[in-house]
DNA sequence: CCAATAGGTAACCGATCAGTTACCTATGAA
DNA sequence: TTCATAGGTAACTGATCGGTTACCTATTGG
């Protein structure tokens, strides 16, 4: 797998557990074990998810003693927002069409 | 794979070829062979991508004679927009912090 | 009617996925 | 100093991925 693919934000957010981790981190940073407890998965599984998120630069890790606190770094999500921007007009049109269709009855 | 996973819009947009197909369909519907030509992939590959997009309800197919024209159906993307909405405030904060940091110098 | 065309799909391939267990290092506390 | 704790990681597993080739059906035009 090449570096670009590894850092791909779309790949990072494709997994529901990773999205849940990001959602959880919105409430504040957390060490790995805390996350593992929250998500009823083993620590290595969470650790691997965090690695993917780190590669996509969606989290950063801060070492405090023997703990590693992971914090949300949401900026790369803007890439997705940017891509979706081009569709906003279209689904607005779709909704308008639906509305018009319903009103025509 | 369960039905929910099959219809998952995040899974559907995780692949760059599928996102390119969606982008392409914004310019208007297209039959499978036209897409296969555009993306330098074999027809079955495109056909499978279209199936995934169809399961996620991101495209719909219209049969015209022996052609099947695929059209964009962007509404499910709103789910992603909705999820991202919760992060908008945060990266705004991040940008503000960066701005403040730069101005402090 | 029949040859050409559009396109779905099964079977297969190598790569990647998400998860596990087992093991390792590093740090902190008694 | 030594034991407990935090957490990374290698190796393995079964599932899924994206792509191919080969084959099938349905529709069209001459």
């Amino acid at each position: 797998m090449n570096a670009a693919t590894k850092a791909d934000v779309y790949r990072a957010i494709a997994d529901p557990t990773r999205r849940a981790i990001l959602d959880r981190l919105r409430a504040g940073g957390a060490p790995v074990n805390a996350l593992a407890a929250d998500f009823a998965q083993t620590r290595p599984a969470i650790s691997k998810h965090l690695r993917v998120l780190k590669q996509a630069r969606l989290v950063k890790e801060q070492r405090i003693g023997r703990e590693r606190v992971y914090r949300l770094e949401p900026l790369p999500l803007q890439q997705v927002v940017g891509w979706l921007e081009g569709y906003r007009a279209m689904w607005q049109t779709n909704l308008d069409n639906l509305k018009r269709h319903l009103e025509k009855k």
Side-chain angles (χ1 to χ4, degrees), chain A:
Chain A
M1 191 187 296
N2 65 42
T5 306
K6 254 189 248 186
D8 184 23
V9 63
Y10 293 95
R11 171 176 163 261
I13 66 169
D15 183 84
T17 301
R18 283 196 289 269
R19 289 199 302 280
I21 289 174
L22 293 177
D23 288 343
R24 164 67 177 75
L25 291 181
R26 279 209 289 154
V32 180
N33 275 328
L35 296 172
D38 282 6
F39 295 106
Q41 283 191 11
T42 58
R43 189 185 39 70
I46 299 296
S47 208
K48 283 168 77 172
H49 282 310
L50 287 170
R51 181 160 58 187
V52 173
L53 292 172
K54 196 162 49 176
Q55 283 165 340
R57 310 205 183 289
L58 284 166
V59 302
K60 66 166 191 278
E61 120 187 6
Q62 179 189 7
R63 299 196 187 206
I64 299 180
R66 61 187 153 179
E67 286 192 339
R68 306 187 188 198
V69 174
Y70 284 86
R71 297 187 191 285
L72 185 58
E73 198 86 334
L75 225 64
L77 292 176
Q78 275 193 307
Q79 191 187 332
V80 183
V81 174
W83 179 68
L84 289 167
E85 200 54 47
Y87 292 85
R88 187 180 297 270
M90 260 208 85
W91 71 60
Q92 195 55 54
T93 306
N94 270 22
L95 282 178
D96 289 351
N97 287 346
L98 177 64
K99 193 160 160 254
R100 215 172 310 128
H101 176 73
L102 292 174
E103 283 168 353
K104 211 163 26 182
K105 285 206 233 178

